[in-house]
Amino acid sequence: MILYITVAVGTVLLACMINNRCELQPYGITRQQMCNRVSILAVFLILFALSACRQNVGNDYAKYVEFMHLANCNAYVPTEAGFNLLVKIIYGISGFENYLLVFAVYAFVTISLFLLAIYEQSDDFPMTYFLFMAMGYYFQAFSTVRYYLALAIAFYSMKFVLRKQWRRFILLVILGSFFHKSLLVVLPLYFLASIAWKKWQLILIGLFCTTFLFLQDFYLKVVVFLYPTYEDTEYLEGGTSYINILRCAAALVLSLMYYRKTIQKDERLRFYFYLNLGALVLYVFCSFLPIISRIGYYLTISHILFLPALIKETENEKLRRLLRLAVILAAIFYFAVFMSRAYNDGILLLPYKTFFFHDMVNILSDMN
């Protein structure tokens, strides 16, 4: 745990040296630009090294090693074609089942996309990066690596939605779906969040959401049709996160303070507002759906952009400082709770092990 806290604190301090809204010089590089490049490279290398050097850290690390072995043997695996093809290419180039390199490639792309998206889209790089670490997005990427690559792609693709570059958005999402097909849900969700809805339209959407309360069997059949591997498994048990509901509710209350003055008139803030509202609806009305948190995360990842933007819009300096402090304290508390559960089944981030000093446990295929 000390290692994780050190990495989090150290990289946040480095992030504080980055100003992604500095003035650019047409000729030459300013001192701030050079500082940005060195600092963000240092942040990337630290995050990448910790992720790429791990061994059997993460809830499903061994399961992924098994999937890679089966994919390389052309056996059936429930993973997508992109994942299977990547495994075969890396194993073929390496000449052996080099699962460490596969995890390293995933870490490289996932971390790169997150940092690039934060640098390009955030109003306050240090604050957004702090929330990215404190809310556990980086550390949770040690598990379900396919999903977190998809989440990074979704996060990066938000800029194309805001620019109305729909072809690029659709192409990127479809490409990402070859690594985790749940990414396809952002096609309708992000499009709906980009619309400037009228009040009467929101009322109709609210009435439609009530169908999730009495047509649960129908929606579960739709899920099984899309994900046949979920049938007769524990994944259909559903469940929701009260912490995520609280997060979304708190963000909604805060944003309503600014809705008429800024959010309603600002296309970007309105997009983040509807993403948060959509996530709240999903967590409250759709808790029966399997792994609802994964769908919700595609929406709540916008919090790390939305909250700093709202704080920046606060004209009263004293109130702005209080809001910033409140968000920081809440995020630190969230991080503390998350770290306290790092040993638990379903997370298994601790103890941290590296291939330098530890051997891989036997996978299922080794025991047969």
Side-chain angles (χ1 to χ4, degrees):
M1 185 180 297
I2 294 176
L3 175 62
Y4 290 161
I5 294 174
T6 301
V7 167
V9 173
T11 55
V12 167
L13 291 176
L14 285 170
C16 290
M17 301 172 64
I18 299 173
N19 178 8
N20 62 321
R21 290 293 178 261
C22 64
E23 294 185 7
L24 302 179
Q25 297 293 334
Y27 305 103
I29 301 175
T30 65
R31 181 178 298 178
Q32 183 60 59
Q33 286 177 281
M34 182 59 68
C35 181
N36 287 350
R37 295 179 182 183
V38 173
S39 298
I40 202 167
L41 177 61
V43 169
F44 170 80
L45 290 176
I46 292 171
L47 298 184
F48 174 70
L50 186 68
S51 181
C53 293
R54 75 187 193 279
Q55 174 90 282
N56 200 27
V57 176
N59 180 55
D60 49 10
Y61 190 99
K63 184 185 295 184
Y64 267 111
V65 176
E66 171 75 9
F67 286 163
M68 294 177 200
H69 170 74
L70 294 175
N72 190 51
C73 296
N74 295 316
Y76 169 77
V77 284
T79 49
E80 289 80 3
F83 174 85
N84 301 339
L85 180 60
L86 178 64
V87 168
K88 291 180 180 180
I89 291 174
I90 292 178
Y91 279 16
I93 294 174
S94 301
F96 65 100
E97 296 194 351
N98 192 353
Y99 58 87
L100 291 172
L101 184 56
V102 178
F103 282 116
V105 170
Y106 265 89
F108 182 92
V109 178
T110 302
I111 296 169
S112 297
L113 286 173
F114 271 125
L115 291 180
L116 184 60
I118 293 172
Y119 189 86
E120 292 181 349
Q121 301 180 51
S122 175
D123 289 343
D124 183 348
F125 185 94
M127 188 64 174
T128 298
Y129 179 80
F130 165 74
L131 294 175
F132 168 69
M133 295 298 290
M135 291 182 176
Y137 290 112
Y138 166 69
F139 294 106
Q140 290 185 78
F142 288 9
S143 300
T144 57
V145 294
R146 290 166 35 251
Y147 171 75
Y148 275 89
L149 172 62
L151 183 63
I153 292 172
F155 186 52
Y156 182 77
S157 73
M158 288 181 181
K159 73 174 186 178
F160 297 127
V161 175
L162 294 171
R163 296 173 182 175
K164 305 299 183 183
Q165 296 175 331
W166 297 112
R167 291 183 180 179
R168 294 186 181 184
F169 168 64
I170 293 172
L171 180 61
L172 182 60
V173 170
I174 292 177
L175 178 63
S177 70
F178 284 100
F179 295 88
H180 204 287
K181 59 186 175 183
S182 70
L183 181 60
L184 292 173
V185 302
V186 306
L187 290 176
L189 293 179
Y190 284 10
F191 173 74
L192 292 173
S194 68
I195 298 174
W197 295 98
K198 305 293 184 181
K199 287 185 179 180
W200 66 270
Q201 294 173 323
L202 291 175
I203 292 174
L204 290 178
I205 293 174
L207 293 174
F208 170 76
C209 290
T210 61
T211 63
F212 291 113
L213 299 177
F214 52 84
L215 293 177
Q216 295 184 5
D217 291 339
F218 168 75
Y219 289 116
L220 282 175
K221 289 180 180 178
V222 173
V223 171
V224 171
F225 174 77
L226 296 174
Y227 291 89
T229 56
Y230 284 178
E231 190 170 10
D232 299 325
T233 67
E234 70 276 7
Y235 293 120
L236 289 183
E237 294 177 0
T240 191
S241 170
Y242 294 108
I243 293 179
N244 284 327
I245 291 176
L246 182 61
R247 271 179 54 187
C248 293
L252 179 62
V253 171
L254 178 62
S255 61
L256 287 176
M257 296 168 52
Y258 303 89
Y259 186 78
R260 288 190 176 182
K261 186 176 181 180
T262 56
I263 294 178
Q264 194 173 27
K265 303 173 184 178
D266 190 302
E267 187 174 356
R268 181 174 63 104
L269 293 179
R270 190 175 63 240
F271 174 66
Y272 297 150
F273 175 83
Y274 282 134
L275 288 179
N276 178 71
L277 183 61
L280 183 60
V281 169
L282 286 176
Y283 285 128
V284 172
F285 290 95
C286 305
S287 60
F288 64 93
L289 293 177
I291 320 179
I292 189 62
S293 62
R294 291 192 177 185
I295 301 175
Y297 269 30
Y298 285 127
L299 307 180
T300 58
I301 186 64
S302 62
H303 283 174
I304 67 177
L305 298 173
F306 191 31
L307 295 178
L310 288 178
I311 293 172
K312 186 179 179 181
E313 290 293 328
T314 307
E315 296 179 355
N316 186 291
E317 184 177 352
K318 185 177 181 180
L319 178 58
R320 183 168 63 248
R321 290 180 177 178
L322 287 175
L323 287 176
R324 188 180 183 88
L325 179 61
V327 171
I328 290 174
L329 292 176
I332 291 175
F333 175 76
Y334 187 95
F335 181 73
V337 173
F338 176 72
M339 282 290 107
S340 70
R341 300 174 178 176
Y343 282 101
N344 295 359
D345 291 338
I347 301 178
L348 294 179
L349 294 179
L350 291 173
Y352 181 80
K353 300 176 183 178
T354 172
F355 63 82
F356 292 115
F357 307 110
H358 300 89
D359 295 324
M360 181 61 192
V361 298
N362 290 331
I363 59 175
L364 184 61
S365 295
D366 295 330
M367 294 183 286
N368 290 338

